[in-house]
Amino acid sequence: MVERLFPSCSDRWLSILRVGLALQLILYALSIRADWRYLLAGTGRGLVSRDLAEALLSLESAIIPRLGWIVAVGKRIGFSEATVLDLTWYGLALVSLFLLGGLFCRPAAIAAWFLHLCCVKGGGLVTYGVDALTTIGLFYLMLSPLPDRLSLDHLWHKKLSNPQSLGFWRRVLQLHLCVIYFFSGLIKALGGDWWNGINLWRALIRPPFDLIPADVLIRFKYIFPIAGIAIFLLEIGYSCFIWQRQTRQSWLIAILLMHLGIGLSMGMYLFAAVMIVLNLAAFGPGILWRENRPADAESCEAASLA
Amino acid sequence: MTRSRIALAWLPLHLFLIIAVCSRQLLWLIANGLTIIPFSGADVSAQTAKDISTTAGPKRTRAAKEALFAYLHSAGIEGAYGFFAPNVPENFKLAFEFRNADGSVEYDLPNVESRAAGLRLGSLLDKIGRSDSEQYRRILIRMLTSVAWENHPAAVSVHAVFGKLKLPSPVDYERGVRPAYEFIGAYDFERSADSNAR
């Protein structure tokens, strides 16, 4: 059991997670740059009040990180709310760049998690699935044994993490993904309209995901029931077949193609990107390409055993 | 060694919380008759909602619940993963009819600059549409209205119409049925006292 939870592995997956999430955060920040203040401003200054979202959040817990904390600190220093929101955007972009290069990996990962979480909770009324999945990724990244060998930190310090510790955090991410897909697939299977393909059709013609004209989609109407069933079977089966030697490669490729398809056909680029990053980090090394065990990883393992 | 022991103790708890949150959502969907499983248990879902409330109970219990919720949110595991499940939700729309003092009318929609923000606006309209609380819906619509009003400084009143898009099935679509908006509610606001929502 312990061996299964602490498998020795290289830090390739951690590099993918770090770089992937850094790019994800940069894209997130850039994609809503023009609307940043508008989405996150307090009462009377934005699309919908951040204060209301945070008041609702306080009903659950007063200690959940939120943008209001940063705004309050900024106001004490003498900054306006707009200035604090702008500084938060620049801060998020900056820590994402640090994370991308692998400079001050751990503090950058913690800061990225905190700033992103604050923005997500502050904009609680205008969030969707991609935000929770990015939080999950950043939470594990923050706790994982950084730095990895592709980071600038490693170039300077040459300090490597314990391979068992790397294996443990990769295993946590893998197990979490299995739970996500299992429940996502199961709940879909319990919705009657996934069996006849109507839900897939509705998802594709529903604004704002209707990138492909319905007149084009209707030509493929016979494929919808098959595709609908395939989607939930793929998701439910993920937690089982991703571990089998014979099926894991095809299952992972199928899941990656599914997310690519969602991204391209529905315009959910960020959602597709974060799922692809999490999947590649969790299962890519060793399945899609051979996982090299460099000499220094082995020496590190030997050192840890010693 | 100590780290490994902490990790070993933490992992089952963490996974238990993830599965508990997902299972709770699944049971809620079943209890509310939103799945193909024929079951009606509104009392069960109401009791579950009551159980997780952090607004009541002894101080110590409440502090523990607050800490638990803070952990769930911090780890991103406070919600389940039923994306477009069990069924694809309705699409909601809000439209404004601004009336000027001279009797002329201007039409508008809530809008954002980017497509990414557009997805978030759509998510907000979905939350408004799915809410059971008329008061909550009215508050959010009033907020969206007051933002849109800034683009119509001459308007003295506004008529906000909230509706949902009824999507046809593939068979109906072939028969010529097209997506059409269905009226849910209308809200009137005045410039002087915009709290006079109808």
Side-chain angles (χ1 to χ4, degrees):
Chain A
M1 178 73 173
V2 173
E3 274 179 22
R4 282 179 183 273
L5 288 176
F6 290 88
S8 177
C9 80
S10 81
D11 58 3
R12 182 75 64 88
W13 75 273
L14 190 54
S15 304
I16 296 169
L17 189 66
R18 175 178 58 77
V19 172
L21 287 178
L23 289 172
Q24 177 78 18
L25 282 181
I26 291 168
L27 290 176
Y28 160 78
L30 289 176
S31 69
I32 54 172
R33 176 67 190 118
D35 298 289
W36 184 259
R37 284 191 200 173
Y38 191 50
L39 291 176
L40 295 173
T43 305
R45 292 177 295 275
L47 178 70
V48 64
S49 171
R50 188 194 69 244
D51 303 332
L52 176 65
E54 293 185 349
L56 291 172
L57 195 64
S58 292
L59 292 177
E60 291 193 14
S61 172
I63 54 172
I64 300 168
R66 63 199 66 189
L67 206 49
W69 291 358
I70 303 175
V71 172
V73 171
K75 278 187 178 168
R76 283 195 171 192
I77 301 169
F79 292 148
S80 67
E81 186 194 67
T83 309
V84 175
L85 290 180
D86 283 348
L87 287 175
T88 306
W89 188 88
Y90 286 114
L92 191 61
L94 187 68
V95 294
S96 304
L97 290 174
F98 274 48
L99 215 48
L100 185 64
L103 192 61
F104 307 117
C105 284
R106 176 83 61 196
I110 294 170
W113 164 80
F114 180 75
L115 287 176
H116 177 262
L117 188 63
C118 286
C119 296
V120 168
K121 297 305 161 191
L125 295 168
V126 287
T127 56
Y128 64 106
V130 67
D131 299 310
L133 291 160
T134 309
T135 303
I136 290 168
L138 289 169
F139 182 74
Y140 292 140
L141 181 69
M142 173 180 75
L143 296 174
S144 295
L146 292 161
D148 52 276
R149 75 185 59 244
L150 295 183
S151 64
L152 288 172
D153 282 352
H154 177 250
L155 282 180
W156 288 351
H157 305 299
K158 297 282 178 195
K159 189 185 157 193
L160 273 175
S161 304
N162 178 339
Q164 273 84 27
S165 179
L166 282 164
F168 174 78
W169 288 104
R170 186 181 178 193
R171 187 68 86 220
V172 174
L173 181 60
Q174 290 172 334
L175 292 172
H176 196 156
L177 278 180
C178 287
V179 176
I180 288 174
Y181 282 117
F182 178 75
F183 276 96
S184 177
L186 183 63
I187 297 174
K188 280 189 182 80
L190 292 176
D193 285 346
W194 279 99
W195 292 85
N196 54 24
I198 288 180
N199 267 337
L200 188 59
W201 156 261
R202 284 164 58 92
L204 290 167
I205 65 164
R206 178 188 188 275
F209 310 123
D210 52 343
L211 296 190
I212 304 171
D215 290 332
V216 175
L217 287 170
I218 198 71
R219 291 179 208 158
F220 305 97
K221 64 176 180 179
Y222 297 111
I223 296 175
F224 289 129
I226 302 163
I229 293 169
I231 286 172
F232 69 70
L233 286 181
L234 192 64
E235 292 190 334
I236 294 173
Y238 184 92
S239 51
C240 173
F241 295 107
I242 201 74
W243 303 102
Q244 309 293 327
R245 192 174 291 274
Q246 297 86 352
T247 52
R248 59 189 188 182
Q249 189 178 43
S250 45
W251 221 268
L252 181 59
I253 291 171
I255 279 284
L256 292 174
L257 287 176
M258 182 185 82
H259 288 300
L260 195 64
I262 289 171
L264 295 177
S265 63
M266 298 171 72
M268 299 177 76
Y269 309 114
L270 283 177
F271 188 86
V274 74
M275 290 312 297
I276 289 171
V277 166
L278 294 178
N279 271 289
L280 282 180
F283 291 103
I287 293 184
L288 292 185
W289 55 87
R290 240 183 104 203
E291 188 171 30
N292 294 323
R293 301 231 11 235
D296 44 356
E298 283 168 8
S299 64
C300 181
E301 185 180 356
S304 72
L305 287 172
Chain B
M1 195 65 181
T2 313
R3 274 189 186 184
S4 304
R5 282 182 183 165
I6 293 171
L8 271 179
W10 166 82
L11 180 60
L13 184 66
H14 185 68
L15 286 176
F16 168 77
L17 290 173
I18 296 169
I19 293 169
V21 169
C22 292
S23 302
R24 184 176 162 270
Q25 169 75 1
L26 181 62
L27 292 175
W28 184 89
L29 291 168
I30 294 170
N32 284 279
L34 297 172
T35 66
I36 52 176
I37 298 174
F39 179 82
S40 177
D43 293 343
V44 177
S45 59
Q47 184 60 41
T48 313
K50 197 179 164 189
D51 288 346
I52 60 137
S53 169
T54 59
T55 53
K59 204 173 176 181
R60 196 180 296 174
T61 317
R62 192 181 160 188
K65 279 183 180 171
E66 289 214 7
L68 176 65
F69 275 93
Y71 177 77
L72 294 177
H73 280 271
S74 302
I77 57 174
E78 78 280 6
Y81 306 104
F83 308 118
F84 287 132
N87 288 308
V88 175
E90 307 285 352
N91 178 247
F92 296 92
K93 192 169 182 177
L94 181 64
F96 305 115
E97 198 180 273
F98 288 97
R99 292 167 189 151
N100 298 323
D102 60 4
S104 60
V105 175
E106 294 169 11
Y107 297 94
D108 205 352
L109 299 168
N111 56 60
V112 286
E113 298 276 331
S114 60
R115 179 179 160 78
L119 290 178
R120 294 176 182 280
L121 175 62
S123 172
L124 171 65
L125 293 176
D126 289 352
K127 284 183 184 116
I128 295 173
R130 285 202 297 265
S131 172
D132 294 330
S133 164
E134 182 55 31
Q135 193 183 5
Y136 178 73
R137 186 180 286 181
R138 189 184 297 242
I139 288 170
L140 289 175
I141 289 176
R142 190 160 63 195
M143 282 178 177
L144 290 169
T145 306
S146 60
V147 173
W149 212 322
E150 288 171 13
N151 299 327
H152 304 271
V156 291
S157 69
V158 58
H159 182 64
V161 180
F162 192 65
K164 71 176 175 185
L165 187 64
K166 212 168 156 51
L167 298 168
S169 68
V171 175
D172 288 340
Y173 190 86
E174 279 190 313
R175 287 182 189 146
V177 180
R178 293 292 175 264
Y181 280 96
E182 205 172 71
F183 176 83
I184 294 179
Y187 304 82
D188 286 319
F189 304 98
E190 300 288 333
R191 165 72 77 184
S192 52
D194 67 2
S195 58
N196 296 334
R198 190 172 69 195

